[in-house]
Amino acid sequence: MTMANSHLEQEFAQSFVQFVDASPTPFHVCKTAASKLEEAGFKRLSETDSWKSNGALKQGGRYFYTRNSSTLVAFCVGGNFVAGNGFKVVGAHTDSPVLKVKPNSYKRAHEYLQVGVECYGGGLWHTWLDRDLGIAGRVIVYTGKEKFSQRLVHIKQPILRVPSLAIHLQSGNERSALKLNKEDHLTPVLGQIAGELNAKNSVEDDDLDDRHPPALLRVLAQEIGCNPADIVDVELSLCDIQNGTLGGVNK
């Protein structure tokens, strides 16, 4: 391998790592990929438009569109394309196995405030233990006059943790036969109930969505710049806040 090829491969790998770091949810994947497509000369289309009647598609053109902000379709029209010609399709996931915040996530146990989550996909769930976890996804915000807007959020702070039991509180057999109950053992800790009670000093808390911990709604509101009471719905997932990196002595 030449030095030039090695340098190009490292640049490509680092670019991929940056893409992954910026894309913790399907919504972020689509946003990041759409930005890269536009930089490469692709034109954004609306799925609701009639592309044929408005002449949107041209031979040699490059286009893309999104659906629900979580699916992206990009395509190129060949320079010699005519209706009936063949085409090639390449598909990939925008999602991945993850711990998703439940529609009703407000939980508390043993003096701790928790966030109810559910397992999405077939994950290696033991790898989520004892990590510094943030949260990402989209938030629906009331903007007034019966209007709503969608905001993407990516909190890269260690606000959540799925703790495991200390080694001296387990037997050797328990350690070697680790079995996680998805409902009981994967619920992350958000904070202490005492801290939440002390934070209840504003009238606006009475208007917050009672399906989710007020502390979580306040963090989300601060991140996207809105009133916590204006958050009407969320679609969130937990995410590792540690950035990806290239490893090994030959990186």
Side-chain angles (χ1 to χ4, degrees):
M1 181 185 298
T2 66
M3 290 291 292
N5 287 340
S6 177
H7 180 70
L8 289 175
E9 288 179 355
Q10 289 212 20
E11 280 190 349
F12 179 82
Q14 190 60 53
S15 176
F16 175 73
V17 167
Q18 292 171 354
F19 178 86
V20 172
D21 290 341
S23 309
T25 72
F27 311 117
H28 292 83
V29 171
C30 287
K31 179 182 178 181
T32 306
S35 176
K36 288 184 174 295
L37 287 170
E38 288 177 328
E39 290 176 3
F42 280 71
K43 179 181 178 181
R44 182 188 291 267
L45 300 174
S46 172
E47 194 178 9
T48 59
D49 291 343
S50 175
W51 301 341
K52 183 177 181 180
S53 62
N54 65 14
L57 304 184
K58 307 291 184 182
Q59 289 182 331
R62 297 186 291 177
Y63 311 94
F64 76 94
Y65 66 90
T66 62
R67 177 182 295 179
N68 189 39
S69 300
S70 59
T71 298
L72 184 146
V73 177
F75 60 96
C76 299
V77 180
N80 297 320
F81 175 80
V82 293
N85 278 7
F87 58 89
K88 297 179 180 180
V89 176
V90 178
H93 289 274
T94 59
D95 61 349
S96 60
V98 72
L99 295 178
K100 298 189 72 170
V101 175
K102 289 183 175 180
N104 292 277
S105 70
Y106 196 177
K107 295 189 69 174
R108 51 173 65 193
H110 308 293
E111 302 301 320
Y112 286 98
L113 187 64
Q114 297 179 291
V115 177
V117 296
E118 58 187 346
C119 296
Y120 175 82
L124 298 174
W125 304 119
H126 66 278
T127 64
W128 288 81
L129 300 178
D130 300 314
R131 287 181 178 268
D132 291 330
L133 300 174
I135 204 163
R138 67 177 170 184
V139 180
I140 306 301
V141 178
Y142 177 69
T143 57
K145 297 182 179 180
E146 299 184 356
K147 293 184 178 180
F148 302 86
S149 67
Q150 170 185 293
R151 311 275 184 86
L152 293 189
V153 63
H154 185 186
I155 297 177
K156 304 177 184 179
Q157 298 295 325
I159 62 172
L160 294 162
R161 177 176 287 263
V162 182
S164 65
L165 200 59
I167 188 171
H168 57 280
L169 297 179
Q170 303 177 65
S171 67
N173 290 335
E174 288 174 329
R175 291 195 297 272
S176 62
L178 176 64
K179 292 183 179 180
L180 296 176
N181 182 300
K182 295 180 181 179
E183 289 296 324
D184 298 332
H185 299 157
L186 292 174
T187 304
V189 173
L190 179 65
Q192 293 180 310
I193 291 178
E196 175 67 9
L197 293 175
N198 293 335
K200 279 194 171 184
N201 53 13
S202 60
V203 177
E204 66 183 21
D205 283 0
D206 296 332
D207 300 323
L208 299 186
D209 188 343
D210 60 6
R211 296 175 300 167
H212 304 289
L216 176 61
L217 295 176
R218 286 194 292 268
V219 170
L220 293 171
Q222 182 178 9
E223 183 73 15
I224 62 179
C226 75
N227 189 315
D230 290 333
I231 296 177
V232 297
D233 206 358
V234 299
E235 191 168 353
L236 303 168
S237 301
L238 275 57
C239 59
D240 193 340
I241 67 169
Q242 181 177 344
N243 287 336
T245 186
L246 303 181
V249 295
N250 304 116
K251 66 177 181 178

